[in-house]
Each structure stands twice: as structure tokens, then as C-alpha cells.
Amino acid sequence: MLLRDPNSDYYSPDTRIMFITPPAIGDRMVEDVAKRNGYEPDRKNAVTKLYADAVKKVAKEHDLPVVDIWTAIEDLVRGSTSVDSPDCKTENNVAGFVESNTAEHDVPTEGASTSPFEGYEKYLLDGLHLSRSGNELLFRLIVSEIEKTWSSENTA
């Protein structure tokens, strides 16, 4: 990587790098927005998962931290508060997010979503872009990863 190679013009030993996966996509929401605006949907959650997996793979290859917002949203939408992926260390953060936001956001439980958008509307504005709740989740995951990964550097 250009920032980590001492021979690179861009070498920056103090720069900290964190990878963030793309968020999950609410396929039905994307289709609905596209239909209402007269165009064909051009995003699919299954394809976005491939990108999320690639981000996690590159982060692992370079031994860099990663925030897996794709899996976090998927788990919340499906009613799980733990992250199944061994590459993602956000299970406690997702559970904490659910606990602190349950009353306010009516987090769905597995199989309980009656929304035509399957619960994605809680985290995505239009099936693609994060809503306030989605941004709050991402913020919490990023802060937690920063504290976990770099907090020991600040204590001397």
C-alpha cells in the first residue's frame, strides 16, 4: 500500500486506515424508487455482498481493521443481534445498538417484519443510502473499532 511503503512518495507511517464495507441494499426499496421514477433498478444486495466480502478480504490481507456495516444491517433486519461473520467483530456493538434503539426504532425480530421493505427502511432511506438510524449504527461501529484498534496507542 502506498501509505505503508517507506519507498513510496505517499508514505505516511502515522496514517491510520480502516476499511468499511458498503451497507446492505434493500432490493424492494430500490425497485420501488426506480419504478416511481421511471428507471430500471441498477443495484442488488447480492452484488453488494460481493463488494462487502472483497473489502473484508483486502482488509484481512493487509491486517487492517474493518467495519462490516453490510452484515450489521442484514443481521438487524433479520432479527439477529450477533454478527455471524468471523471477519466482523461487531456483535457487541450491534447488540448494544439494538438495546439502545429498540424502543425508539421498533427493531424487527426474525420473521416478524410486516413491511413490504423487509425492515430495511429502518436503516436505509431509499434502499441504498443510510437513514439516520443507519448512520447512527455506522457511527457506533466505527467509534468502537477505533477504540478497540487504536486506544492502546493513546495510553502511554
Side-chain angles (χ1 to χ4, degrees):
M1 292 179 60
L2 294 174
L3 296 172
R4 291 184 151 189
D5 181 358
N7 297 319
S8 168
D9 291 338
Y10 302 101
Y11 178 60
S12 178
D14 297 325
T15 299
R16 294 179 176 117
I17 300 170
M18 175 186 297
F19 281 63
I20 302 172
T21 67
I25 289 180
D27 288 335
R28 289 185 182 167
M29 290 178 76
V30 169
E31 290 167 6
D32 183 64
V33 169
K35 183 178 178 181
R36 285 188 284 123
N37 290 294
Y39 62 88
E40 290 295 314
D42 59 353
R43 304 283 198 282
K44 291 285 184 189
N45 198 32
V47 174
T48 303
K49 182 180 184 332
L50 298 174
Y51 282 98
D53 290 344
V55 168
K56 292 187 290 186
K57 180 181 176 192
V58 171
K60 186 174 184 176
E61 288 171 357
H62 293 281
D63 195 30
L64 292 169
V66 62
V67 169
D68 186 359
I69 187 70
W70 189 94
T71 300
I73 289 175
E74 284 297 308
D75 283 353
L76 287 166
V77 166
R78 286 168 180 28
S80 170
T81 59
S82 65
V83 177
D84 295 328
S85 169
D87 298 325
C88 183
K89 301 171 184 116
T90 58
E91 55 276 338
N92 293 333
N93 302 311
V94 173
F97 180 80
V98 171
E99 289 168 12
S100 66
N101 288 282
T102 299
E104 181 182 347
H105 298 289
D106 188 29
V107 176
T109 56
E110 191 170 353
S113 178
T114 58
S115 163
F117 301 124
E118 304 169 318
Y120 288 97
E121 71 279 7
K122 295 191 185 322
Y123 307 100
L124 304 167
L125 291 172
D126 55 5
L128 180 62
H129 300 97
L130 294 173
S131 66
R132 178 179 177 168
S133 214
N135 276 300
E136 288 171 355
L137 173 62
L138 179 58
F139 173 79
R140 186 177 200 137
L141 295 173
I142 289 171
V143 168
S144 178
E145 190 63 37
I146 288 169
E147 289 172 347
K148 180 174 61 183
T149 304
W150 295 300
S151 66
S152 64
E153 292 179 17
N154 296 331
T155 56

